[in-house]
Amino acid sequence: MKTKGLTILLAELKESFFMAMAAVAAHKLRSALTLLGVLVGVFSIIVVMTAMRVMQSFIESEISELGSQTFEIQKFPVVFFSRPEGWEKIRRRKNITLQVGMRFLERATLARAVGLDTSFWAGEISTRYKTTAPDVQLYGETPGSFPARNWIVQEGRGLSDSDVESAHDVCVLGHTLAKTVFPYSSPVGENLKIDGINYRVVGLLEPKGASLGGDEDNFAVIPITSGLDRFSSRRRNLNLLVQARDQASYDACLQEARGIMRVIRKVPPGEEDDFEIASNESVIGQFNSVTFAVRIGVAVVSSIALLAAGIGIMNIMLVSVTERTREIGIRRAVGARKRNIMTQFILEAVVLCEVGGAIGVLLGILGGNAAAYFLKLPPVVPVDWIIIGLLICSIVGVVFGTYPAFRAANLDPIESLRYE
């Protein structure tokens, strides 16, 4: 008995759906103008949420090169949205110098590895075989940077403490750079020129691949002291890479690092830090907090657009009820019940909303992924927000289609048949 009732219900819904689609198709211009409001509302939600996901993906890609249980201490925040005076305050912070980094290294007891890090320039590197394009990144590092950055030595060795202490002219090459400048043999033990100065290659790193449209392996690593002596002052701003021993000690290691930095930089108790600690979780949390107001604003604008669209759908459906009064009378006369009439008109309102919502979702994904195109990131499809957007469309259709459907279902059959 239950199976028979379910079959009848599904058949009624199917019939009502096709009738609703026929009614929408019969008034194309009116339907298009009606669903435009829904389209705008859903589009504004999806385009912003897609763009937010793209930016979040960009930020995660930027910091994903850090090894596991690693965080970075730096002068500037990774993400910053504020007024110019806020940026000026950050700009006036003291640099994290080599001296500060060495003092930090001496005091850190909970860290597995601590590395000092900076980027000097992007330029040419030449060997007896080839000269590269001027896009090779030159990093200055210490031995602790290798585990912190998740760099694995494939051949030779990484940098040593003596390399840093004595500012040796040695370097470690990324995999792509090594294949470019030494295409016929192993680079270990070979010489190359960086900015006209000879360096001996002591190590080759395992490949990491491409990210953000660039090559993560097109770089060279030299002792940070050698780079500071030749390309910059030892007062240059550096970054600290800190790797905890394991996930269980991560929070304790981070708090210890924060306390050490506050002591070294003489930050008074109660005052905010004059440095930033960046990890995957903190950066994403900061990004979500600064974009919260944007999401709220988009939700308000979209709600207004959907409310206006719902009112428009209700008005159009009331007009449709009036135009189809005789059709309703005929359906009632041949046995259609009130629930059949209500289902037909509610489904018609839902179909209008869903068509507009589907177009809005498609345009929103395309518009939001424009940022992914320019950042050379994989496209993002926010499945959760697509479902939410289409669900909202259904709710708008049901809410604003119920009154016209109720009016249609309660028309007097005899009076309806007489209507001209």
Side-chain angles (χ1 to χ4, degrees):
M1 191 69 179
K2 289 183 178 180
T3 305
K4 183 179 178 181
L6 180 61
T7 303
I8 294 173
L9 177 61
L10 291 175
E12 290 177 355
L13 287 174
K14 181 179 179 181
E15 180 187 9
S16 297
F17 174 76
F18 284 116
M19 293 182 70
M21 290 295 293
V24 171
H27 303 89
K28 295 182 178 63
L29 180 60
R30 186 170 73 186
S31 299
L33 294 174
T34 303
L35 61 83
L36 187 61
V38 179
L39 187 156
V40 171
V42 174
F43 169 80
S44 59
I45 294 174
I46 299 299
V47 72
V48 171
M49 296 308 170
T50 303
M52 294 290 184
R53 293 284 172 85
V54 169
M55 293 305 299
Q56 182 172 329
S57 175
F58 171 74
I59 293 169
E60 289 174 346
S61 299
E62 284 287 276
I63 58 180
S64 63
E65 64 180 18
L66 298 180
S68 102
Q69 291 94 48
T70 299
F71 55 90
E72 186 169 357
I73 302 175
Q74 52 197 33
K75 176 179 178 179
F76 300 103
V78 176
V79 182
F80 184 78
F81 297 96
S82 185
R83 296 180 177 180
E85 55 268 26
W87 177 252
E88 183 62 26
K89 179 181 178 181
I90 291 175
R91 193 185 65 80
R92 288 198 300 267
R93 289 174 174 176
K94 295 178 182 178
N95 287 341
I96 300 175
T97 62
L98 181 64
Q99 182 184 12
V100 169
M102 291 303 180
R103 291 173 63 189
F104 180 92
L105 183 59
E106 292 171 359
R107 300 185 184 193
T109 60
L110 299 180
R112 171 185 291 171
V114 177
L116 291 174
D117 164 85
T118 191
S119 175
F120 290 114
W121 52 253
E124 293 180 349
I125 288 181
S126 59
T127 68
R128 55 197 172 99
Y129 298 108
K130 190 173 182 180
T131 298
T132 68
D135 60 353
V136 178
Q137 190 67 52
L138 181 65
Y139 294 124
E141 307 288 346
T142 61
S145 299
F146 284 73
R149 279 193 173 276
N150 202 25
W151 286 338
I152 300 173
V153 177
Q154 178 176 303
E155 189 177 345
R157 64 173 178 84
L159 298 179
S160 65
D161 290 330
S162 63
D163 293 331
V164 175
E165 291 168 5
S166 303
H168 288 160
D169 295 334
V170 296
C171 65
V172 178
L173 303 185
H175 200 270
T176 298
L177 176 60
K179 293 300 181 185
T180 301
V181 294
F182 296 104
Y184 310 112
S185 62
S186 168
V188 177
E190 296 278 2
N191 292 323
L192 51 74
K193 284 189 176 182
I194 301 175
D195 201 33
I197 299 171
N198 285 316
Y199 287 80
R200 182 169 57 88
V201 180
V202 296
L204 169 66
L205 298 177
E206 288 187 355
K208 296 186 70 174
S211 175
L212 303 179
D215 195 331
E216 289 192 54
D217 301 314
N218 191 36
F219 65 89
V221 181
I222 62 175
I224 195 167
T225 47
S226 303
L228 291 175
D229 288 342
R230 293 202 171 98
F231 305 110
S232 186
S233 164
R234 293 209 173 200
R235 303 298 299 172
R236 175 191 176 100
N237 181 59
L238 309 176
N239 299 319
L240 282 167
L241 304 175
V242 184
Q243 185 183 47
R245 292 193 177 94
D246 48 44
Q247 192 61 48
S249 63
Y250 179 86
D251 290 338
C253 181
L254 190 148
Q255 291 304 320
E256 182 196 51
R258 181 170 177 263
I260 293 172
M261 284 299 293
R262 288 180 65 88
V263 170
I264 292 175
R265 293 166 73 88
K266 299 179 181 179
V267 179
E271 290 193 12
E272 63 180 14
D273 298 337
D274 64 348
F275 53 89
E276 301 290 331
I277 298 181
S279 63
N280 289 15
E281 296 76 13
S282 67
V283 173
I284 298 304
Q286 184 183 5
F287 176 79
N288 289 333
S289 66
V290 297
T291 57
F292 178 74
V294 176
R295 294 197 293 270
I296 293 296
V298 170
V300 171
V301 171
S302 302
S303 299
I304 294 172
L306 290 171
L307 178 62
I311 295 171
I313 286 172
M314 185 169 63
N315 289 334
I316 292 298
M317 294 303 297
L318 288 171
V319 172
S320 180
V321 169
T322 303
E323 290 178 346
R324 296 156 64 185
T325 300
R326 188 173 179 83
E327 173 195 326
I328 294 169
I330 294 172
R331 290 199 67 199
R332 292 297 304 279
V334 297
R337 299 179 181 180
K338 288 185 177 181
R339 75 178 188 191
N340 302 125
I341 304 298
M342 284 198 69
T343 301
Q344 176 188 346
F345 281 89
I346 289 176
L347 271 179
E348 189 172 326
V350 171
V351 166
L352 275 172
C353 289
E354 289 296 343
V355 171
I359 297 173
V361 164
L362 180 61
L363 294 177
I365 292 173
L366 293 175
N369 277 303
Y373 175 78
F374 288 112
L375 292 172
K376 292 181 171 53
L377 286 168
V380 173
V381 180
V383 177
D384 51 347
W385 280 102
I386 291 174
I387 295 172
I388 291 171
L390 295 178
L391 181 62
I392 291 173
C393 290
S394 297
I395 293 172
V396 169
V398 171
V399 170
F400 289 95
T402 297
Y403 177 66
F406 179 81
R407 284 278 303 271
N410 286 278
L411 289 175
D412 186 273
I414 297 175
E415 294 297 326
S416 299
L417 288 170
R418 291 176 180 173
Y419 185 82
E420 296 292 339

